Each structure stands twice: as structure tokens, then as C-alpha cells.
């Protein structure tokens, strides 16, 4: 059922409120997966929001956390002041070292999470969008091809 007016609460908000009320940790995840499948098959909008946690399973270090890039001694180099002193030196000694161009595709592969999202987005009639803050490109490198231009934000 689609919203017919702006006064009606969107379905995702209703679902979120319901899940928030019963927020206890459930050991039965099949119920959640069945709910998701029902939502996808009914052509209701689904939004996946992904971040470093998804790509960490592929071996890409996150920025934060115990093993994060920012936990190293790069705080000093990652400032605007350091960049302005000598942009070329900053780029060569800092940026390329920690953010090499195209390195992700050469050394890392999409994991089961990336693959699952791409397969789910291929379900006929699925109304799925993916928002990611990852710059690794792994969503675009999945085995299952999907319409990233339309679905990946």
C-alpha cells in the first residue's frame, strides 16, 4: 500500500517504531529475514545504508577503531596546514600512502554482504536503494550485476 497523502506516516517509519519498541536481542533472525523478504516482494521501498563495517569484512581498514587508519600517527599529516606547506609532498608522502588510487579493486573483493545487496536489488519488482559512504567501489564490483547507476547513491 502506497502513501496517499503527506499526512500519513511512511511505512519505514512505522516499521522502525515497531522494531524500536521490541528492541530486545532476538536469537531468531529468520523472522527478520522473512520480514525483509516480504517487504522486498511487496515492492515497498527498501534502503540499505552501508559504511566501513561492510567493507571491513573484505579486509579494508576503517578510519576509526582499534585498527583504524586514524589510530596511526597520521593525525599530524592529515591537516590542512600540512597540505598547504607543500601540497605535492603531502600528496606523495601522505595521501598516496594511505589512499592509493584504484588500490581497492586490485587488492580487495566484495564480500557476502556486498553480493547479497546486489542480488536483492535484482529481485523483480524490488524497490531498493543503497546509500554508502564507502569510496572503495566494492558495491560496483559484485559478481551479480545490478543497476548501480539507478540504485547506488
Amino acid at each position: 500500500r502506497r502513501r496517499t497523502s503527506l499526512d500519513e506516516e511512511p511505512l519505514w517509519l512505522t516499521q522502525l517504531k515497531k522494531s524500536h519498541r521490541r528492541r530486545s536481542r532476538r536469537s531468531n533472525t529468520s523472522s527478520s529475514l522473512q520480514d525483509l523478504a516480504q517487504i522486498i516482494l511487496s515492492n515497498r521501498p527498501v534502503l540499505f545504508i552501508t559504511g566501513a563495517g561492510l567493507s571491513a569484512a573484505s579486509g579494508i581498514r576503517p578510519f576509526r577503531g582499534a585498527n583504524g587508519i586514524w589510530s596511526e600517527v597520521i593525525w599530524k599529516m592529515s591537516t590542512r596546514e600540512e597540505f598547504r606547506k607543500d601540497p605535492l609532498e603531502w600528496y606523495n608522502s601522505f595521501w598516496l600512502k594511505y589512499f592509493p588510487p584504484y588500490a581497492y579493486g586490485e587488492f580487495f573483493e566484495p564480500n557476502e554482504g556486498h553480493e547479497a545487496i546486489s542480488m536483492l536489488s535484482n529481485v523483480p519488482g524490488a524497490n531498493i536503494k543503497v546509500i554508502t559512504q564507502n569510496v572503495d567501489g566494492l558495491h560496483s564490483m559484485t559478481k551479480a550485476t545490478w543497476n548501480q547507476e539507478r540504485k547506488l547513491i
Side-chain angles (χ1 to χ4, degrees):
R1 184 178 149 250
R2 297 214 177 253
R3 277 180 28 183
T4 56
S5 109
L6 293 175
D7 296 330
E8 289 182 88
E9 185 173 83
L11 180 62
W12 65 267
L13 183 56
T14 306
Q15 296 291 348
L16 183 64
K17 286 179 178 177
K18 284 181 185 176
S19 69
H20 184 68
R21 275 185 244 132
R22 60 172 199 258
R23 194 76 182 195
S24 65
R25 297 225 180 239
R26 291 187 274 175
S27 61
N28 182 2
T29 57
S30 64
S31 171
S32 297
L33 292 175
Q34 289 170 348
D35 292 345
L36 177 61
Q38 184 178 6
I39 290 169
I40 290 172
L41 293 174
S42 67
N43 196 28
R44 295 191 308 214
V46 174
L47 175 64
F48 290 104
I49 301 175
T50 66
L54 183 61
S55 293
S58 292
I60 295 177
R61 290 175 59 196
F63 285 98
R64 293 182 294 270
N67 192 30
I69 292 173
W70 297 121
S71 65
E72 294 181 0
V73 189
I74 65 171
W75 279 105
K76 181 181 181 299
M77 287 298 297
S78 64
T79 65
R80 185 177 297 143
E81 291 77 27
E82 287 297 314
F83 170 78
R84 286 181 177 157
K85 285 179 186 175
D86 185 349
L88 186 59
E89 173 62 25
W90 180 88
Y91 182 78
N92 287 324
S93 64
F94 169 69
W95 190 257
L96 286 179
K97 178 179 177 182
Y98 291 99
F99 309 102
Y102 310 109
Y104 295 119
E106 292 179 29
F107 302 110
F108 302 100
E109 295 181 354
N111 61 51
E112 292 84 5
H114 294 102
E115 297 292 345
I117 290 171
S118 67
M119 286 187 270
L120 286 172
S121 70
N122 282 331
V123 171
N127 185 4
I128 294 177
K129 299 279 188 214
V130 180
I131 295 177
T132 185
Q133 60 184 17
N134 294 343
V135 295
D136 53 40
L138 296 183
H139 278 294
S140 302
M141 296 167 46
T142 56
K143 293 174 192 157
T145 58
W146 58 296
N147 190 348
Q148 298 116 5
E149 292 80 28
R150 224 181 86 239
K151 297 187 177 199
L152 181 62
I153 299 170

